[in-house]
Amino acid sequence: MTEKIYDLAIIGAGAAALSAGIYAGRSMLDTIIIEKDKIGGQTVTTSTIANYPGVKDATGPALIEEMREQAEIFGCEFITKEIVETKLVDDVKVLVDKNGQEIKAYAVIVATGTSRNKIGFPGEIEYTGRGIAYCSTCDGELFTGMDVFVLGGGFAAAEESVYLTRYAKKVHMIIREPDFTCAPATANLAKEHPNIEITYNTEVKEISGDGVLQKAIFVNNETGEESVFEASEEDGSFGMFVFAGSSPNTKLVKEQLELDGRGFVPTNDNMETNVEGVYAAGDLRVKELRQIVTATSDGAIAATKAQQYVEKLKEKLGIEVTVIAKPKETKKAQPKEVKKETSNQNTSGGWFPDAMKEQLKGIFGKLTKSVTLLHVLDASNPKSVELASFAKEFSSLSDKMIYRSVDKGEDVALEESVQLTRMPSLAILNENNEFTGIKFSGIPSGHELNSLVLAVYNVGSQGQEIDATVKERIEQLKVNKIEICVSLTCHLCPDVVAACQRIASINHNVTAEMIDTSLFPELKKEKKIMSVPAMIINGEKVVFGSKNMDEILAELEN
């Protein structure tokens, strides 16, 4: 069997990587995009994008989804792997994942971006998920009606402060410099907002609280004067969002590529690094402006130069250059995620617009087995009644889906079989009417619609492809109860929910329950959850943050 060598391998899947993929695919390069976690990088954590040319108003996740789809149309292959070693100096570049498997390519674009910095004040790590947060779109809703502090004075801090005003009682910006460090137009959005209070030349000295953030001590870095903020007895806590800049994710290549003193990658105008055939694109580059528009520009240039390099290299090596007259067919092993969000019923009275219905029907056309959506209805609970409307319309999109409603208390044995503890509740049963362990406490709309779609797909068909080794690990799990606390505005949550529910679809000793945290404040208070996604494992251990399948399995195996 001939060894597979790609024309181009792109490490990362943010805006720069996806732009490179679009240009490379359109140039007919055999391209693979490798991402260890979530497609989109930091762009998907951005609540509003208003300065990307041609896009007047978009969310980060929506813009990234369009880019991903466009790259797929031009034939890019996407794979989830964590690359831990690179061998870049030879004609054939080698990327090694943590399992020792190799991906080979003639050219490589490094587009691993940056990671948001932590400040390091006492209590920051201890209260992460308990008041300290780093993503406004994920966690902003959890601080509804509370005071919220934003640390930082750059672009992200200014923009996200404005976003957080939709939830917070008041937003307090704490800036250690004498003024904002972003463009005046962006800063003015915060400066002129009536619900944002700004304090300059100030830093956090320390934070504390009884399980959740309740007290913060600030210090003026010019006068040394200290001030204290304590949560009101009514609120019990407050939020503190950290936007303290970013550091480059260049550890993977630091032994082979030249880096500057801060760890960023210097390139020439063609995105070329000091190693022939290796390019850098996006925020990890040495440059003045780090914005989506500059990242996409970097990606386009890098891919164009990579195409020229690969053609010359193949000519030198005597390898035939194949020109394809049209884009390659997209190979999709999984159903495509639903692009639009449905957090409320639309104006026509239904949950799903016609275009979305057609998209969903295409996915559900692949179902081979019946799937029952069991809804235990509590007519006195408005959200339970709302869930009935949602689930009925959703199940009507396929003759393989069955909506079954049972009044609360009508069938106690059935309620016990699906481990009913919260309402509203929707449980997924397989073709034998057996509980699969998959459950939704809340209405799985918004971003969580994708979780429901994947749950039905995994139960009603062969499901998403899964590595044999991973499947074996899943099958060996003992009894595990996973409660995944989410916000419907969180773009990171569906991946955690879907992974946990994929585990449950294979091993019925595992239950995976999506919980809309906003509907169950008593759970939020009991477990001191102030950030999502948050997995509660067996009712005790709480694990915060986005996790991939390997990381979730490691938590369950401990």
Side-chain angles (χ1 to χ4, degrees):
M1 183 177 178
T2 306
E3 183 180 42
K4 172 70 174 178
I5 302 177
Y6 291 93
D7 290 331
L8 174 64
I10 302 171
I11 310 175
L18 295 175
S19 174
I22 291 166
Y23 273 76
R26 198 163 186 265
S27 299
M28 309 307 166
L29 291 182
D30 188 5
T31 302
I32 185 169
I33 297 177
I34 309 157
E35 171 57 48
K36 71 174 182 178
D37 191 10
K38 174 83 174 176
I39 290 176
Q42 290 200 34
T43 302
V44 294
T45 69
T46 305
S47 56
T48 302
I49 295 172
N51 59 353
Y52 190 78
V55 180
K56 296 183 209 176
D57 186 18
T59 65
L63 183 61
I64 284 296
E65 172 60 17
E66 290 293 333
M67 291 183 185
R68 181 198 64 79
E69 185 175 305
Q70 198 171 357
E72 276 193 329
I73 288 171
F74 286 114
C76 289
E77 178 182 341
F78 285 80
I79 189 169
T80 302
K81 279 184 179 294
E82 182 178 359
I83 302 301
V84 297
E85 183 184 359
T86 58
K87 304 172 185 177
L88 303 175
V89 295
D90 296 327
D91 288 338
V92 176
K93 320 298 182 187
V94 181
L95 311 177
V96 184
D97 72 10
K98 63 181 182 180
N99 296 319
Q101 296 178 323
E102 295 182 343
I103 295 174
K104 297 184 177 182
Y106 295 113
V108 169
I109 295 176
V110 182
T112 47
T114 59
S115 295
R116 283 182 173 162
N117 293 333
K118 290 180 171 57
I119 295 177
F121 53 82
E124 181 179 9
I125 301 300
E126 294 87 337
Y127 288 92
T128 295
R130 312 282 190 185
I132 295 292
Y134 299 87
C135 175
S136 60
T137 54
C138 298
D139 300 330
E141 183 184 17
L142 301 178
F143 297 93
T144 299
M146 296 184 183
D147 285 279
V148 167
F149 287 80
V150 170
L151 310 184
F155 280 98
E159 292 172 343
E160 301 309 317
S161 290
V162 174
Y163 174 81
L164 286 165
T165 59
R166 68 181 66 186
Y167 302 113
K169 180 186 347 182
K170 191 173 193 65
V171 173
H172 310 260
M173 292 194 72
I174 304 297
I175 302 176
R176 67 179 181 179
E177 291 84 8
D179 201 351
F180 284 79
T181 57
C182 59
T186 303
N188 287 339
L189 295 174
K191 288 181 176 181
E192 296 171 5
H193 199 288
N195 204 34
I196 296 178
E197 179 183 282
I198 305 169
T199 305
Y200 300 101
N201 298 313
T202 300
E203 301 174 43
V204 179
K205 181 179 180 181
E206 64 179 86
I207 58 174
S208 58
D210 183 12
V212 295
L213 178 57
Q214 294 174 320
K215 180 179 178 180
I217 300 175
F218 302 96
V219 60
N220 184 298
N221 54 31
E222 287 192 331
T223 66
E225 182 182 357
E226 293 186 2
S227 59
V228 178
F229 182 89
E230 294 189 70
S232 68
E233 187 174 336
E234 179 185 358
D235 294 342
S237 184
F238 58 92
M240 187 172 283
F241 287 76
V242 179
F243 299 103
S246 301
S247 297
N249 297 321
T250 51
K251 181 180 178 181
L252 178 64
V253 295
K254 69 177 183 178
E255 301 300 330
Q256 296 180 71
L257 298 186
E258 177 187 342
L259 306 179
D260 75 356
R262 298 180 301 157
F264 289 89
V265 182
T267 70
N268 60 18
D269 290 343
N270 293 328
M271 307 301 135
E272 294 167 329
T273 69
N274 62 304
V275 175
E276 191 176 24
V278 180
Y279 307 82
D283 286 359
L284 82 167
R285 282 186 60 234
V286 175
K287 58 180 181 177
E288 288 296 318
L289 183 64
R290 292 183 173 85
Q291 293 278 283
I292 299 172
V293 67
T294 63
T296 55
S297 172
D298 289 354
I301 295 169
T304 301
K305 291 302 174 181
Q307 178 212 355
Q308 297 169 3
Y309 169 81
V310 170
E311 288 183 358
K312 289 180 181 178
L313 178 63
K314 284 186 172 181
E315 184 179 347
K316 182 183 85 170
L317 299 176
I319 300 170
E320 182 181 358
V321 177
T322 304
V323 178
I324 305 171
K326 62 179 181 179
K328 295 170 279 187
E329 292 295 324
T330 303
K331 298 178 181 178
K332 296 180 183 177
Q334 308 180 111
K336 185 171 70 176
E337 288 189 347
V338 179
K339 288 167 55 178
K340 295 185 179 179
E341 300 177 13
T342 56
S343 57
N344 294 293
Q345 288 176 278
N346 62 40
T347 53
S348 65
W351 285 91
F352 310 103
D354 290 341
M356 183 181 291
K357 286 181 179 179
E358 290 306 309
Q359 186 181 359
L360 290 170
K361 285 177 180 178
I363 295 171
F364 296 143
K366 300 172 185 177
L367 299 180
T368 57
K369 297 175 282 188
S370 64
V371 179
T372 297
L373 279 61
L374 176 65
H375 175 214
V376 179
L377 173 65
D378 178 1
S380 66
N381 182 330
K383 282 293 179 181
S384 185
V385 175
E386 200 174 334
L387 178 60
S389 167
F390 174 90
K392 284 178 185 176
E393 186 174 343
F394 183 81
S395 62
S396 71
L397 300 176
S398 171
D399 58 7
K400 292 290 185 183
M401 278 194 287
I402 302 163
Y403 171 72
R404 180 183 173 191
S405 178
V406 178
D407 288 336
K408 182 182 179 183
E410 178 184 332
D411 191 335
V412 175
L414 181 63
E415 292 180 15
E416 290 178 352
S417 72
V418 298
Q419 303 174 29
L420 180 69
T421 55
R422 301 181 181 91
M423 301 190 72
S425 178
L426 191 69
I428 306 296
L429 310 184
N430 64 19
E431 61 180 340
N432 299 318
N433 280 318
E434 299 167 331
F435 179 44
T436 59
I438 298 172
K439 188 164 54 174
F440 297 86
S441 292
I443 301 170
S445 58
H447 290 298
E448 288 304 330
L449 177 58
N450 288 319
S451 305
L452 178 59
V453 170
L454 288 172
V456 169
Y457 178 81
N458 286 327
V459 172
S461 71
Q462 289 186 337
Q464 298 163 283
E465 291 185 3
I466 194 162
D467 182 81
T469 304
V470 173
K471 186 176 181 182
E472 184 179 354
R473 289 175 67 189
I474 293 172
E475 291 172 338
Q476 291 176 353
L477 290 173
K478 306 300 182 184
V479 176
N480 275 284
K481 176 184 177 184
I482 317 171
E483 299 163 293
I484 312 104
C485 295
V486 308
S487 165
L488 299 183
T489 61
C490 173
H491 59 277
L492 300 173
C493 292
D495 286 348
V496 178
V497 173
C500 291
Q501 293 185 338
R502 182 66 176 124
I503 291 170
S505 73
I506 294 171
N507 184 339
H508 295 342
N509 289 322
V510 177
T511 60
E513 177 185 5
M514 180 219 84
I515 301 173
D516 181 354
T517 313
S518 67
L519 300 182
F520 304 97
E522 69 285 352
L523 177 66
K524 173 185 168 184
K525 183 176 181 180
E526 176 193 349
K527 299 299 182 182
K528 299 179 171 61
I529 291 171
M530 303 188 75
S531 179
V532 291
M535 293 187 297
I536 306 171
I537 300 175
N538 295 325
E540 297 178 359
K541 182 168 66 171
V542 180
V543 179
F544 291 101
S546 178
K547 306 291 178 186
N548 59 32
M549 179 68 83
D550 281 344
E551 291 168 329
I552 293 170
L553 286 173
E555 294 287 351
L556 297 176
E557 290 164 341
N558 286 340

